[in-house]
């Protein structure tokens, strides 16, 4: 080995480092011996340590899958289980072969040994072993109690004896665990055994759910008192308390009269007092206060339940829960009590609102039956004091409580609930109460208008959104209900349309709400005009003429519509489509409606910002012309199209000379489309060969001219028509070939095509971009 140091100096350096390593090793060995002595004196077991060269050089041997403490716990647990099984076998099988003295001696000796051995084990520091042996000893005490009953008191009441044995064992185990503080099993076992004492005693003295409930509640109270010092007792307290409350609720719901419900109510109120008391002492026990408050509501409401309809029972429970909501402002109460009580009140209010919402949903959905027979003038049934009134009142009470809660907490969520509940209650109240039809519509229109006004003026986003949704829902539902009568249809739709128009004109409202109101106004105007056509004696196809007044009015107003212009024009276009659909039953009327719609679009295209509508006007005029020609039985559209195409192309050529920057679509598009499109439609329905041939040649010429002069419109229009003609001519052969091929061939070809496209995807995208750029450079 070559180093930069001379050999003598390097040797001296190595000797010094080895001396330092030896000194460090001696220090670590001494420290290790001292730590081992300390661990042995404290009763802990030192973990196995690998040291020396074997610990750092080479592999340390196979990895251990379990640590020493884990293996120890497994062995101890297994030993305890085996001893317990042996004890049970001895008690159940070998007990009868021994005399009374032998039995007593064996049990006493084994139990004393099992309970005394942990003392010696703890002194030697073997805590885990002591735990296992102690568990066996506790089990033996249970067997002792059973043996005593089987031999000494076989005629005694088994349930009463079990209650006394549970109490004695709980006290004995508690004393044993108090004497051996290092053992963790005896005290929890004592608490567990104590849970059975009072319930078993109650069942022995007076069998029945009431006695059992009170026993469980008393046990829960004792556990709660113990939980103030021993936190582990909180779980048994919760379990036994929940059992008592469940018994009380079950008995309250099954009571046949108010007198029978008094005893369960007393149990529930006592449980409520216990829950509130626990939350009063423990800041983290808000769940106890919540459970207690719910128990109080259930107990008091259960007394009134037998004599009321279910819907009114819900309202009674809601009224009982309202004071709980006031706890949010009661600063004198502890935080846990205040929070738990308020949450309980909110939970009851939510359940009540959901229960009443079922009736509301049924009322709203029931109006769909009007669609089965429009303008049938049916009359709703009256139910002035039934469940409908209770549902409406419940929703109104929930709305008031939510509004107060929103003011108290300054949060938006309760206000949303308040708006929705108030609307649901007020909107459905006249239907649920069986009001006359006129009164129903009057109230529902007023409620819908109020919701719309709130959506327009409210500054809170949540309340504004909720009001808007409620207003739209109410408007749709009352509009549906108005179809039951002719007068109601015109009155309701007219008023709603006027209201929506006013809302759209309200500048202080948000744009989405104004746009929605404007679209709704257009929709109501269209509906009123269609209804007017239905009332008249005119045929359905003539209903389209008054409907065209809607897009005509929208086009006339134009810029005066302000920020809602685009939504209004889109909705007006939908009204125009409705008009075209209504007139489709007769070709002459359809041509007239298409022409009038073209006039409307042409009038709107006069404005510079709506010049694009000129294309729509041209398309509508052309469509009207061809519908009229089809009605006349024209079989050669070229005779009518070519006289239009030639002057149109001449006009386009002159415009291109005056304005070289004009688009080829503007100059030549209308003229070419006037002939190519009708001819293509005729060719697709023509079984001969002459028209497709001539059209294909013409399309080819147009395509070549567009490519020669680099004009976009002739190139694309001619190419598209040429491709369509080719597809038309090849379609029979393709169908014939497809019928001759096996069925697996088309999927296989499609798969190969996809693979090919995927393999050259990037190159094809580049070619597509080049093609797009080339077309974009055309005139």
């Amino acid at each position: 080995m070559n180093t930069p140091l001379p050999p003598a100096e390097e040797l001296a350096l190595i000797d010094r480092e080895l001396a330092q390593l030896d000194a460090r090793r001696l220090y670590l060995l001494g420290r290790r011996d001292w730590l081992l002595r300390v661990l042995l004196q404290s009763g802990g077991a030192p973990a196995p340590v690998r040291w020396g060269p074997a610990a750092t050089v080479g592999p340390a041997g196979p990895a251990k899958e379990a640590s020493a403490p884990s293996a120890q716990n497994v062995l101890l647990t297994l030993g305890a289980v085996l001893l317990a099984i042996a004890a049970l076998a001895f008690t159940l099988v070998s007990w009868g072969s021994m005399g009374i003295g032998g039995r007593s001696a064996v049990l006493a000796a084994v139990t004393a040994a099992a309970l005394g051995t942990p003392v010696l084990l703890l002194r030697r520091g073997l805590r885990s072993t002591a735990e296992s042996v102690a568990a066996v000893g506790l089990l033996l005490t249970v067997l002792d109690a059973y043996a005593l009953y089987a031999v000494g008191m076989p005629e005694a009441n088994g349930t009463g004896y079990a209650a006394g044995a549970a109490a004695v064992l709980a006290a004995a185990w508690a004393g044993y665990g108090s004497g051996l503080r290092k053992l963790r099993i005896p005290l929890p076992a004592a608490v567990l055994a104590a849970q059975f004492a009072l319930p078993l005693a109650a069942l022995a003295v007076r069998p029945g759910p009431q006695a059992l409930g009170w026993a469980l509640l008393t046990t829960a109270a004792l556990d709660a008192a113990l939980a103030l010092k021993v936190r582990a007792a909180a779980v048994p307290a919760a379990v036994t308390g929940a059992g008592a409350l469940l018994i009380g609720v079950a008995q309250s719901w099954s009571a046949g009269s108010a007198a029978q419900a008094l005893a369960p109510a007393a149990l529930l109120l006592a449980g409520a007092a216990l829950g509130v008391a626990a939350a009063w002492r423990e800041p983290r026990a808000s769940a106890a206060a919540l459970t207690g408050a719910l128990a109080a509501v259930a107990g008091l409401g259960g007394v009134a339940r037998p004599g009321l309809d279910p819907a009114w029972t819900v309202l009674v429970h809601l009224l009982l829960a309202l004071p709980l909501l006031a706890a949010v402002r009661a600063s004198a109460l502890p935080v846990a009590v205040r929070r738990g009580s308020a949450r309980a009140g909110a939970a009851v209010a939510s359940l009540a609102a959901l229960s009443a919402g079922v009736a509301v949903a049924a009322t709203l959905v029931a109006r769909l039956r009007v669609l089965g027979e429009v303008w049938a003038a049916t009359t709703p049934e009256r139910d002035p004091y039934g469940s409908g009134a209770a549902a409406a009142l419940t929703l109104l009470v929930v709305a008031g409580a939510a509004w107060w809660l929103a003011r108290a907490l300054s949060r938006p969520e309760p206000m949303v609930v308040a708006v929705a509940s108030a609307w649901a209650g007020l909107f459905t109240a006249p239907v649920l109460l069986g009001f006359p039809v006129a009164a129903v519509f009057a109230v529902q229109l007023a409620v819908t208008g109020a919701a719309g006004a709130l959506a327009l003026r409210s500054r809170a986003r949540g309340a504004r959104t909720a009001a808007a949704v409620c207003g739209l829902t109410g408007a749709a539902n009352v509009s549906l209900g108005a179809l039951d009568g002719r007068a109601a249809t015109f009155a309701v739709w007219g008023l709603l349309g006027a209201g929506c128009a006013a809302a759209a004109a309200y500048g202080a409202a948000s744009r989405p709400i104004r746009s929605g109101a404007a679209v709704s106004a257009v929709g109501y105007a269209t509906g009123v005009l269609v209804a007017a056509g239905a009332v008249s004696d005119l045929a359905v196809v003539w209903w389209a003429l008054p409907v065209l007044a809607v897009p005509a009015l929208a086009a006339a107003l134009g810029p005066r519509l302000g920020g809602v212009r685009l939504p209004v024009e889109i909705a007006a276009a939908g009204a125009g489509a409705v008009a075209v659909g209504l007139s489709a039953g007769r070709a002459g009327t359809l041509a007239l409606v298409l022409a009038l719609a073209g006039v409307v679009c042409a009038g709107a295209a006069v404005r510079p910002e709506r010049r694009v509508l000129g294309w729509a006007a041209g398309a509508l005029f052309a469509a009207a012309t061809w519908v009229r020609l089809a009605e006349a039985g024209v079989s050669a559209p070229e005779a009518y199209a070519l006289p239009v195409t030639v002057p149109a192309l001449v006009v386009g050529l002159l415009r291109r000379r005056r304005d070289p920057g004009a688009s080829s679509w503007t100059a030549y598009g209308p003229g070419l489309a006037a002939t190519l499109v009708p001819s293509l439609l005729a060719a697709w329905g023509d079984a001969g060969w002459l028209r497709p041939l001539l059209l294909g040649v013409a399309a080819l010429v147009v395509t070549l001219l567009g490519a020669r002069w680099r004009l976009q419109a002739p190139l694309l229009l001619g190419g598209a028509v040429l491709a369509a003609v080719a597809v038309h001519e090849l379609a029979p052969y393709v169908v014939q070939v497809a019928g001759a091929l096996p069925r697996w061939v088309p999927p296989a070809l499609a798969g190969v095509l996809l693979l090919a496209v995927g393999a050259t995807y990037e190159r094809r995208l580049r070619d597509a971009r080049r093609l797009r750029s080339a077309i974009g450079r055309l005139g």
Side-chain angles (χ1 to χ4, degrees):
M1 297 174 62
N2 296 324
T3 60
L5 296 177
E9 294 182 7
E10 185 178 1
L11 180 59
L13 177 62
I14 292 175
D15 289 339
R16 286 195 299 271
E17 290 181 356
L18 288 174
Q20 292 176 359
L21 289 175
D22 290 338
R24 181 64 177 170
R25 183 172 183 273
L26 291 174
Y27 168 77
L28 292 176
L29 289 173
R31 183 68 178 173
R32 181 178 182 278
D33 293 337
W34 180 81
L35 291 173
L36 287 173
R37 290 194 300 270
V38 171
L39 289 174
L40 290 174
Q41 292 175 1
S42 62
V49 179
R50 295 179 58 88
W51 59 276
T56 57
V57 179
K64 294 179 175 56
E65 296 182 352
S67 62
S70 299
Q72 170 187 325
N73 292 334
V74 170
L75 293 176
L76 293 175
T77 303
L78 183 58
V81 170
L82 291 176
L83 287 176
I85 293 174
L88 288 172
F90 169 77
T91 304
L92 298 175
V93 178
S94 302
W95 184 260
S97 62
M98 301 179 65
I100 296 178
R103 301 172 186 175
S104 303
V106 170
L107 277 177
V110 175
T111 304
L115 295 177
T117 301
V119 179
L120 300 177
L121 293 175
L122 289 175
R123 291 179 182 177
R124 293 182 177 272
L126 302 176
R127 180 177 175 179
S128 298
T129 306
E131 291 279 5
S132 300
V133 177
V136 175
L138 297 181
L139 178 61
L140 288 175
T141 58
V142 177
L143 296 178
D144 290 342
Y146 169 74
L148 180 61
Y149 170 74
V151 176
M153 295 179 289
E155 297 180 356
N157 188 329
T159 306
Y161 178 83
V168 172
L169 289 176
W173 291 352
Y176 182 71
S178 299
L180 299 177
R181 293 281 185 177
K182 293 183 179 180
L183 295 179
R184 292 174 295 184
I185 294 180
L187 289 179
V191 175
L192 180 61
Q195 307 306 308
F196 299 96
L198 289 178
L200 290 175
L203 292 177
V205 175
R206 187 178 180 182
Q210 285 294 321
L212 178 60
W214 281 106
L216 288 172
L217 187 61
T218 305
T219 304
L222 297 175
D223 291 335
L226 181 62
L228 298 176
K229 296 183 178 181
V230 181
R231 186 169 298 176
V235 175
V239 173
T240 53
L245 294 180
L246 288 176
I247 291 176
V249 170
Q251 292 296 306
S252 178
W253 285 353
S254 61
S257 63
Q260 295 178 358
L262 290 177
L267 177 61
L268 291 172
L269 292 177
L274 176 60
V276 173
W280 202 288
R281 294 292 302 272
E282 176 56 48
R284 291 172 295 184
S286 61
L290 186 149
T291 306
L294 292 177
V297 173
L300 295 176
V303 176
R305 183 198 59 80
L308 296 176
D309 184 85
W312 289 102
T313 302
V314 172
L315 179 59
V316 169
H317 282 79
L318 175 61
L319 295 176
L320 292 172
L322 289 182
L324 299 175
L325 294 174
V328 297
R329 300 292 296 270
S331 57
L333 297 176
V335 177
V337 177
R338 186 166 65 249
R339 185 175 302 171
S341 300
R343 289 176 178 175
V348 175
S350 301
L351 292 175
L354 289 176
S355 176
V358 175
V360 172
T363 302
L364 297 178
V365 173
R367 276 185 164 167
L368 293 175
R369 292 178 296 183
V370 175
L371 298 176
E373 189 176 0
V374 178
W375 292 349
T378 59
T379 303
E381 298 180 359
R382 286 180 169 270
D383 185 19
Y385 299 104
S387 59
L393 287 176
T394 299
L395 289 171
L396 295 178
V397 172
V398 170
W403 177 83
W404 179 87
L405 198 61
R407 297 289 300 273
L409 299 178
S410 300
R411 293 185 60 85
E413 294 85 357
M415 185 58 71
V416 173
V417 176
V419 172
S421 300
W423 170 83
L426 294 174
F427 188 84
T428 58
V431 180
L432 294 174
L433 296 176
F435 283 11
V437 176
V440 169
F441 286 134
V443 173
Q444 290 185 341
L445 286 174
V447 173
T448 302
L454 181 62
L456 294 174
R457 304 180 62 88
S458 177
R459 297 181 179 179
R461 183 177 181 180
R464 183 172 64 247
T465 304
V469 173
C470 292
L472 290 175
T473 305
N477 192 262
V478 72
S479 301
L480 186 63
L483 290 174
D484 193 41
R486 298 188 178 187
T489 300
F490 288 100
V492 171
W493 287 13
L495 290 174
L496 288 176
C500 290
Y506 186 68
S510 62
R511 177 168 292 183
I513 293 179
R514 292 181 59 208
S515 300
V519 171
S520 300
V522 174
Y524 280 117
T526 304
V528 168
L529 292 174
V530 171
V535 171
S536 65
D537 295 332
L538 297 176
V540 175
V541 294
W542 294 108
W543 299 358
L545 296 179
V547 174
L548 283 177
V550 175
L553 182 60
L557 293 176
R560 298 180 183 178
L561 297 174
V564 298
R565 180 182 181 183
L566 183 59
V568 168
E569 289 178 346
I570 294 175
V578 171
V580 172
L582 290 173
S583 63
R586 184 181 299 172
T589 309
L590 177 60
L592 176 61
V593 171
L594 289 172
L596 293 176
V599 172
V600 173
C601 291
V606 173
R607 298 189 176 94
E609 69 276 7
R610 292 293 183 266
R611 290 290 170 83
V612 69
L613 293 178
W615 289 93
L620 289 171
F621 285 138
T625 301
W626 290 115
V627 168
R628 180 65 68 181
L629 292 176
E631 183 187 16
V634 174
S635 60
E638 293 82 3
Y640 297 90
L642 287 175
V644 177
T645 297
V646 173
L649 292 178
V650 172
V651 172
L653 179 62
L654 295 177
R655 179 174 180 180
R656 288 274 294 183
R657 288 181 177 179
R658 291 186 178 183
D659 183 11
S663 172
S664 62
W665 287 103
T666 305
Y668 305 119
L672 292 174
T675 295
L676 292 178
V677 174
S679 298
L680 179 63
L681 296 176
W684 270 84
D686 193 347
W689 60 271
L690 181 60
R691 175 179 277 120
L693 176 61
L694 296 177
L695 179 60
V697 172
L700 178 60
V701 172
V702 171
T703 304
L704 294 176
L705 291 176
R708 170 65 179 81
W709 297 104
R710 304 184 66 180
L711 298 175
Q712 197 176 95
L715 179 62
L716 295 182
L717 282 175
V721 173
L722 181 61
V725 172
V727 170
H728 173 265
E729 293 303 308
L730 292 177
Y733 302 100
V734 172
V735 172
Q736 182 178 1
V737 172
L741 289 177
R743 295 193 175 184
W744 59 267
V745 173
L749 293 177
V752 173
L753 177 62
L754 291 177
L755 290 177
V757 172
T760 59
Y761 184 69
E762 184 176 2
R763 180 173 60 82
R764 293 177 186 276
L765 284 179
R766 184 173 64 251
D767 296 341
R769 285 193 290 268
R770 290 178 179 175
L771 178 61
R772 185 181 61 185
S773 300
I775 293 176
R777 290 192 296 269
L778 299 178

